[in-house]
Amino acid sequence: MNEAVIFEGFSYAYPKTEPVLNEIEFAVPRGSFTVITGPSGAGKSTICRAMAGIVPNYYGGRSAGRVLVDGEDTAGQRIADLTRFVGLVLDDYESQLVSLTVEEEVLFGLYNRGLAPAEALPAMRKALNEVGLTGKEKLRLDELSGGQRQRLAIASVLAYKPDVLVLDEAASALDPEGAESLYRMLDELRRDYNLTVIVVEHELTYVLPYATQMLVLVD
Ligand code: ADP
């Protein structure tokens, strides 16, 4: 299976709303850096949610067609099981942070998944190293810059070793230098671990140099 994610004629409507996605059809090659762009309200966040299985499994509503992740239909799968394949970093990633210190933040999710310290501690150190936060383990979250907190949110997701990392408008709160450095880091992760990176962006300047394919939602 050379595709990490496949949308097969996927349509979706939130409960009590008009359809948001109409027969969406695309494939994301494994190891690609895929940029999804388009106007506000086009359904980009909804596509991210569908890849993580929270649409429709958590939101409810009506869907047709299929979303395959690593060859498996997301329909009916538990969201917690899907996080092994797809890690989602939200645009308000600050709301994803729940702990007092950097190391607690990454360990929180790993312990929640039932990992013993012997597995969780090395996974935490590796994830922090991947995002350049080694040495910051004991810092409180309020001692980090905005860009560092975002890297921490990414590390917390990477710690589960997903095959696919999805970031929804991840650079919106960053200055140009922060955005450039975020995308450079994601591209390095992609190359080093054959990670599939999918980013939703409307400001394309900083991400385009790294994109291997682009999906444009027109309507
Ligand atoms: P984008 O990310 O491209 O801005 P979204 O996927 O956020 O687009 O939204 C697509 C459409 O779905 C919009 O019309 C939005 O109002 C609607 N929508 C988004 N989330 C919900 C929700 N939880 N319930 C109902 N409608 C929603």
Side-chain angles (χ1 to χ4, degrees):
M1 167 73 55
N2 257 338
E3 282 84 28
V5 178
I6 302 174
F7 277 59
E8 278 182 355
F10 185 73
S11 303
Y12 176 71
Y14 288 99
K16 301 188 196 116
T17 65
E18 294 293 300
V20 171
L21 301 177
N22 288 308
E23 300 194 13
I24 299 286
E25 194 88 37
F26 68 93
V28 176
R30 208 174 284 280
S32 68
F33 194 127
T34 295
V35 177
I36 301 178
T37 193
S40 178
K44 303 182 296 297
S45 294
T46 306
I47 284 182
C48 293
R49 291 172 186 155
M51 290 191 273
I54 51 182
V55 153
N57 296 344
Y58 170 78
Y59 280 89
R62 307 182 306 283
S63 65
R66 301 199 298 169
V67 178
L68 305 175
V69 174
D70 273 347
E72 303 246 1
D73 194 337
T74 58
Q77 286 199 55
R78 291 176 49 218
I79 293 164
D81 292 339
L82 282 167
T83 59
R84 281 186 289 124
F85 299 115
V86 180
L88 177 59
V89 180
L90 303 172
D91 53 349
D92 62 338
Y93 54 87
E94 300 264 353
S95 72
Q96 272 179 290
L97 303 173
V98 293
S99 307
L100 204 57
T101 67
V102 168
E103 63 180 11
E104 284 170 14
E105 181 62 37
V106 182
L107 288 171
F108 174 82
L110 295 171
Y111 287 149
N112 248 347
R113 278 170 173 69
L115 260 70
E119 289 172 288
L121 289 167
M124 176 269 288
R125 290 193 197 102
K126 182 164 185 292
L128 288 178
N129 182 46
E130 283 163 3
V131 301
L133 287 178
T134 297
K136 309 260 189 276
E137 293 81 355
K138 305 285 180 198
L139 290 187
R140 292 195 319 270
L141 300 202
D142 61 11
E143 295 175 293
L144 299 181
S145 68
Q148 287 172 327
R149 278 201 293 278
Q150 188 199 42
R151 281 164 184 255
L152 178 58
I154 294 171
S156 303
V157 169
L158 281 179
Y160 312 144
K161 303 191 179 70
D163 296 343
V164 182
L165 183 65
V166 182
L167 296 101
D168 188 359
E169 304 268 0
S172 51
L174 302 178
D175 58 19
E177 206 177 301
E180 215 295 305
S181 129
L182 169 73
Y183 291 126
R184 195 179 336 114
M185 179 191 85
L186 292 172
D187 192 50
E188 283 166 12
L189 287 170
R190 174 179 85 82
R191 288 163 188 274
D192 291 348
Y193 302 102
N194 199 33
L195 185 73
T196 306
V197 176
I198 302 175
V199 302
V200 163
E201 262 311 333
H202 62 265
E203 166 54 60
L204 296 174
T205 313
Y206 304 105
V207 72
L208 268 192
Y210 301 107
T212 61
Q213 73 165 357
M214 189 155 85
L215 179 74
V216 183
L217 287 184
V218 181
D219 199 357

